[in-house]
Amino acid sequence: MNLEQMGQAARDAAYVLADSSTQVKNQALLVMADALEAAAERILAANQQDLNAARESGISDAMLDRLMLNPERLAAIASDVRNVVSLPDPVGSELDSRMLENGMRLSRRRVPLGVIGVIYEARPNVTIDIAALCLKTGNASILRGGRETFHTNQELVKVIQQALTASQLPESAVQYISEPGREWVSGLLKLDQYVDMIIPRGGANLHKLCKEQATIPVIIGGYGIGHIFVDDSADVLRAIEVIDNAKTQRPSVCNTIDTLLVHDAIAASILPLLSERMASKKVELVADADALALLSSGPAKVRAAVEGDFDTEWLGLTLGVKLVPDVNAALAHLRRHNASHSDAILTNSMASAERFINGAPSAAVYVNASTRFTDGAQFGLGAEVAVSTQKLHARGPMGLEELTSYKWIGQADYLIRS
Amino acid sequence: MNLEQMGQAARDAAYVLADSSTQVKNQALLVMADALEAAAERILAANQQDLNAARESGISDAMLDRLMLNPERLAAIASDVRNVVSLPDPVGSELDSRMLENGMRLSRRRVPLGVIGVIYEARPNVTIDIAALCLKTGNASILRGGRETFHTNQELVKVIQQALTASQLPESAVQYISEPGREWVSGLLKLDQYVDMIIPRGGANLHKLCKEQATIPVIIGGYGIGHIFVDDSADVLRAIEVIDNAKTQRPSVCNTIDTLLVHDAIAASILPLLSERMASKKVELVADADALALLSSGPAKVRAAVEGDFDTEWLGLTLGVKLVPDVNAALAHLRRHNASHSDAILTNSMASAERFINGAPSAAVYVNASTRFTDGAQFGLGAEVAVSTQKLHARGPMGLEELTSYKWIGQADYLIRS
């Protein structure tokens, strides 16, 4: 099939899904979960093929690990699908319903978006994850995974489509672009006649490509420089715990911090403690001149910051440190240095907290909490489709509701506009 | 200023607006309304310049009328600005607020989108209208009007910026691109570093240009083929009234109907009445073969439909007519013929009504009501920014709320993720 045909098939499937009850969709998800377990041997063999090819191509250990499936991981994926069954279906709920003066009953009803295109990289669990979340919300999906996972994804999509067919749903409700070649990605991004939304799940380059090439709305997200600002009123000892958590609990993900901003009135008391803690966690510090003066005698490795350091998402054990005179200077730094994901203030001052909440340009703003909470599960959304850093449609962690749109419904008794 | 500088200035102004109270924003709007009346002479003189130039270029009377200001229209524009003052400010309200199990208070707070780019055609009232709605919601705006309104818009923007300055708000909260040349439009569409949303207000070509060139989310809308389906259970006489209203009350706008679909079991009783009514309203009919057979003996002008007729937005006194065997065939027609704006079913059957509501791909679906109701004021939104036919962010008439985003706010007592 070419892209045009895939788009048309997805659109047709979307009409069927939009008309399917929650019960039918849940049943298909349960069949899918069972089928994943039943096909474990086949899926793991295909994954082995991908792993062998990846090893030969000299891929990093971290990438290999992301690519790898084993019986436990596959069981976890099946269990995640069953978890999606237990989530409430947002489709069909009415957002508000009112009687207009002219006698029209007007409401907005949640409906599926339609067709969602998802472009992602190595992790094969995304294939099942996104297919399940789209199916639950009545959306058809067109998936495009990384070429490293080719064989694994072929098997996973086979399982998904068999589960759809067994549940009397169209198998084109979930389609996978298996042809190699970037032109397929470019083509998908311009399929605006059929596709309603593009979700890129990957790094900054993938998002940039989508933003530049797509004629379809794209959900941009998943990266941004994270900051903690330590106000002069903060509890120093407790602040260290939050900074440690936000930097080191899982340094490779997008809700960790990259830069620590410290009120200069509290710098002399907190920076020595910071140096000790960061040394014990093997975090290297990258400090502006003022911070460097206070950090150079400490145990943590430290170097002077250079141009671009405060614009770097480290995704590892490095932390920028900079002194600022007050909360406004901290906010000015955030605005210049791509704070768009998660940022926190540590303070005991209500005025500083409110100033920071209002002024920070971030999708998620915290007062006296770690930035690590920006996550669909932590926020109680039940599932996480993506973390948006744009402001349209959805911002921050996106759950099932963010895979829906609404339609206006006006009901009356042969009413005309006067 | 170049576009980069305008973008930066707009972004800086947006931070000030986001921090401004409703009172300050309302005060600026009142100053603006007064200033419009005070500057009436200057504005009308500038408008006269534009009208003279337009006449010389041989512009149509309809276009001239859209371009023309007079004392009454200017007073109405000032009055519209005062009306915006009376609308509730959506910024600052909390969408939901809850205490998580871990003790974090989590909420979503409505915030301005930031910077909004608006590209529009001849009507100078859009300049004031959009500037006022953006200001009310704390958004900075960058405007680009049609070249026919150059002089008028220069004066209007001068008034706006003076009102901003007099109210201690940055004058770059509302900026206008006055340089000629398409490269300014293309440049604005790629200013994603500073601009959060693009609203095109114009025809299909402008929307297409924005969709193809923009790296910023675009609100697509304002057009689409409108349909009424007359089910076999409909009240024939009352159906004629609704069809007449939806076609002829204001034939040039986007919420009128282009195609009438008629259940074949009711065609013989309704089409003769339709022909009579349409003849009296000077509407030409364009009929498929089955409908033509029933319409050719009637008083209304009728011709056989050809390829493309059912894909045409007439924007005038023409109406397509086609017979269909049932509601599902009507829905299939809607799906093939770009129904994305407003569509209605006339029926006394609950089953047909529910089927149509669920199946129609339209932003607004009506049961026994005219499509002419798709309008911000009719829906009680207080203002209308645009009518979206896309599914992301906003669908159908957009009011003030649709000019906002939200940020997640998590507050706790030095909470870390375990």
Side-chain angles (χ1 to χ4, degrees):
Chain A
M1 279 214 281
N2 64 27
L3 272 175
E4 176 84 16
Q5 291 163 327
M6 289 181 83
Q8 181 67 61
R11 171 65 66 204
D12 289 344
Y15 287 128
V16 176
L17 290 177
D19 251 359
S20 301
S21 67
T22 304
Q23 198 175 11
V24 166
K25 296 184 289 184
N26 280 343
Q27 184 55 35
L29 288 167
L30 291 173
V31 171
M32 194 189 296
D34 292 347
L36 278 171
E37 292 174 336
E41 208 172 313
R42 230 169 61 216
I43 294 167
L44 293 176
N47 188 244
Q48 201 54 55
Q49 273 188 280
D50 286 331
L51 286 169
N52 293 341
R55 265 191 216 98
E56 274 169 36
S57 76
I59 206 172
S60 73
D61 281 357
M63 282 289 276
L64 265 184
D65 183 63
R66 300 179 73 192
L67 176 51
M68 193 263 286
L69 290 182
N70 56 29
E72 294 70 38
R73 287 189 180 183
L74 201 54
I77 292 173
S79 154
D80 284 347
V81 173
R82 294 195 181 96
N83 179 45
V84 173
V85 172
S86 70
L87 296 176
D89 183 354
V91 171
S93 67
E94 307 242 317
L95 295 182
D96 36 38
S97 184
R98 68 204 100 145
M99 190 67 93
L100 301 181
E101 284 182 16
N102 59 17
M104 176 180 285
R105 176 165 296 287
L106 183 70
S107 61
R108 291 192 294 160
R109 189 181 292 181
R110 273 205 194 282
V111 296
L113 277 169
V115 179
I116 297 176
V118 186
I119 302 166
Y120 53 105
E121 291 169 352
R123 286 157 49 185
N125 65 309
V126 174
T127 306
I128 299 294
D129 194 23
I130 287 282
L133 295 171
C134 287
L135 178 55
K136 176 77 185 201
T137 47
N139 292 292
S141 51
I142 299 179
L143 312 176
R144 165 65 170 207
R147 66 182 163 68
E148 307 82 5
T149 46
F150 177 79
H151 296 99
T152 314
N153 280 338
Q154 291 292 105
E155 288 302 325
L156 292 175
V157 171
K158 213 181 286 172
V159 167
I160 294 169
Q161 294 187 333
Q162 282 165 355
L164 289 165
T165 307
S167 311
Q168 273 83 52
L169 288 173
E171 71 168 28
S172 50
V174 180
Q175 294 177 88
Y176 188 84
I177 300 177
S178 46
E179 312 310 313
R182 288 209 117 179
E183 65 277 18
W184 285 81
V185 172
S186 302
L188 175 59
L189 294 176
K190 295 190 191 309
L191 216 56
D192 51 80
Q193 209 191 332
Y194 304 111
V195 181
D196 297 287
M197 176 162 94
I198 295 284
I199 303 180
R201 298 221 350 192
N205 285 339
L206 177 61
H207 284 258
K208 187 161 175 288
L209 175 85
C210 290
K211 195 160 70 171
E212 285 173 359
Q213 297 204 354
T215 57
I216 305 166
V218 177
I219 295 294
I220 295 296
Y223 60 96
I225 313 296
H227 304 79
I228 286 181
F229 166 57
V230 187
D231 193 28
D232 60 346
S233 64
D235 286 354
V236 169
L237 293 178
R238 302 170 83 197
I240 292 289
E241 300 305 324
V242 176
I243 297 163
D244 183 357
N245 183 259
K247 181 68 236 178
T248 73
Q249 196 206 17
R250 204 171 160 202
S252 66
V253 297
C254 60
N255 58 14
T256 57
I257 56 166
D258 302 290
T259 302
L260 183 71
L261 301 169
V262 181
H263 194 298
D264 53 18
I266 204 174
S269 50
I270 196 169
L271 290 189
L273 298 174
L274 178 78
S275 181
E276 267 180 46
R277 177 65 65 92
M278 293 298 106
S280 76
K281 296 294 182 83
K282 302 198 179 359
V283 175
E284 182 186 357
L285 303 175
V286 174
D288 78 338
D290 293 338
L292 191 62
L294 292 163
L295 286 166
S296 52
S297 59
K301 207 169 148 189
V302 60
R303 68 168 171 83
V306 295
E307 175 81 28
D309 277 335
F310 293 119
D311 297 304
T312 303
E313 190 177 8
W314 301 110
L315 299 171
L317 292 173
T318 305
L319 178 64
V321 185
K322 186 184 169 182
L323 303 197
V324 290
D326 58 20
V327 62
N328 287 317
L331 289 172
H333 181 96
L334 261 61
R335 290 166 181 181
R336 271 198 314 279
H337 297 281
N338 189 24
S340 55
H341 194 294
S342 301
D343 300 283
I345 182 173
L346 306 179
T347 185
N348 291 343
S349 150
M350 283 185 64
S352 295
E354 193 60 19
R355 182 80 201 86
F356 191 84
I357 288 172
N358 286 332
S362 346
V365 188
Y366 297 93
V367 176
N368 298 335
S370 170
T371 54
R372 288 277 297 123
F373 287 104
T374 307
D375 177 287
Q378 293 289 322
F379 279 8
L381 304 185
E384 181 178 292
V385 177
V387 176
S388 160
T389 55
Q390 71 181 26
K391 296 183 195 161
L392 255 77
H393 187 65
R395 198 173 184 196
M398 293 170 64
L400 291 179
E401 266 189 14
E402 284 69 36
L403 289 182
T404 65
S405 179
Y406 56 84
K407 62 169 72 162
W408 292 88
I409 299 169
Q411 296 179 262
D413 187 26
Y414 295 84
L415 188 68
I416 64 173
R417 179 165 169 185
S418 48
Chain B
M1 279 212 281
N2 64 27
L3 273 174
E4 175 83 17
Q5 290 164 328
M6 289 181 84
Q8 181 68 60
R11 172 64 65 204
D12 289 343
Y15 287 128
V16 176
L17 290 177
D19 251 358
S20 300
S21 67
T22 304
Q23 197 175 12
V24 166
K25 295 183 288 185
N26 280 343
Q27 183 55 35
L29 288 168
L30 290 174
V31 171
M32 194 189 298
D34 292 346
L36 278 171
E37 293 175 333
E41 206 171 316
R42 232 169 60 215
I43 295 167
L44 294 177
N47 187 245
Q48 201 54 55
Q49 273 188 281
D50 286 331
L51 287 170
N52 293 342
R55 265 190 216 99
E56 273 169 38
S57 75
I59 206 173
S60 73
D61 281 358
M63 281 289 276
L64 264 185
D65 183 62
R66 299 180 75 192
L67 175 52
M68 192 263 285
L69 289 182
N70 57 29
E72 293 70 39
R73 287 189 178 183
L74 201 54
I77 292 174
S79 155
D80 283 347
V81 173
R82 293 194 182 97
N83 179 45
V84 173
V85 172
S86 70
L87 296 174
D89 183 353
V91 171
S93 66
E94 307 243 314
L95 296 181
D96 35 38
S97 185
R98 67 204 101 145
M99 189 67 91
L100 300 181
E101 284 182 16
N102 60 16
M104 177 181 286
R105 175 164 295 286
L106 183 70
S107 60
R108 291 193 293 160
R109 188 182 292 182
R110 275 206 192 281
V111 296
L113 277 169
V115 179
I116 298 176
V118 186
I119 302 167
Y120 52 105
E121 293 171 351
R123 283 157 51 186
N125 65 309
V126 173
T127 306
I128 298 294
D129 194 24
I130 287 282
L133 295 171
C134 287
L135 178 56
K136 176 78 186 202
T137 47
N139 292 291
S141 52
I142 300 180
L143 311 177
R144 165 66 169 207
R147 67 184 161 68
E148 307 81 5
T149 46
F150 178 78
H151 296 99
T152 315
N153 280 338
Q154 290 293 105
E155 288 302 325
L156 292 175
V157 171
K158 211 180 287 173
V159 166
I160 294 169
Q161 293 188 333
Q162 282 165 356
L164 289 165
T165 307
S167 312
Q168 272 84 54
L169 288 173
E171 69 168 29
S172 50
V174 180
Q175 294 177 86
Y176 188 84
I177 301 177
S178 45
E179 312 311 313
R182 287 209 120 179
E183 67 274 19
W184 285 81
V185 172
S186 302
L188 174 59
L189 294 175
K190 294 190 190 312
L191 216 56
D192 52 79
Q193 207 190 333
Y194 303 111
V195 180
D196 297 286
M197 176 163 94
I198 295 285
I199 304 180
R201 298 226 342 197
N205 285 338
L206 176 62
H207 285 257
K208 186 158 177 288
L209 175 86
C210 290
K211 195 160 71 169
E212 284 173 1
Q213 297 205 353
T215 58
I216 306 166
V218 176
I219 296 293
I220 295 295
Y223 61 97
I225 313 296
H227 303 78
I228 286 181
F229 166 58
V230 187
D231 193 27
D232 60 347
S233 65
D235 287 354
V236 169
L237 293 177
R238 301 171 82 199
I240 292 289
E241 300 304 325
V242 176
I243 296 164
D244 183 358
N245 184 259
K247 181 67 236 178
T248 73
Q249 197 205 17
R250 203 171 159 203
S252 66
V253 298
C254 60
N255 58 13
T256 57
I257 55 165
D258 300 292
T259 302
L260 183 71
L261 301 169
V262 180
H263 194 298
D264 53 19
I266 203 175
S269 50
I270 197 170
L271 290 189
L273 298 174
L274 179 78
S275 181
E276 265 180 46
R277 178 65 65 92
M278 293 298 108
S280 77
K281 295 294 184 84
K282 303 197 178 1
V283 175
E284 182 184 358
L285 303 176
V286 173
D288 78 337
D290 292 338
L292 191 62
L294 291 163
L295 286 166
S296 53
S297 59
K301 207 169 147 189
V302 60
R303 68 167 172 83
V306 295
E307 174 81 26
D309 276 336
F310 293 119
D311 296 306
T312 303
E313 190 177 7
W314 301 110
L315 300 171
L317 292 173
T318 306
L319 177 64
V321 185
K322 186 185 169 181
L323 304 198
V324 290
D326 58 20
V327 62
N328 287 318
L331 289 171
H333 181 95
L334 261 60
R335 289 166 181 182
R336 271 198 313 279
H337 297 281
N338 189 26
S340 55
H341 195 294
S342 301
D343 300 283
I345 182 174
L346 306 180
T347 185
N348 291 342
S349 149
M350 281 185 66
S352 295
E354 193 59 22
R355 182 80 201 89
F356 191 85
I357 288 172
N358 286 331
S362 347
V365 187
Y366 297 93
V367 176
N368 297 336
S370 169
T371 54
R372 288 276 298 124
F373 288 104
T374 307
D375 176 288
Q378 292 290 322
F379 279 9
L381 303 184
E384 181 178 291
V385 177
V387 177
S388 161
T389 55
Q390 71 181 27
K391 296 184 195 160
L392 256 76
H393 186 66
R395 200 173 184 197
M398 296 170 63
L400 291 179
E401 266 188 13
E402 285 68 36
L403 290 181
T404 66
S405 179
Y406 56 83
K407 61 168 74 163
W408 292 88
I409 300 169
Q411 297 180 263
D413 188 26
Y414 295 86
L415 188 68
I416 64 173
R417 179 165 168 185
S418 49

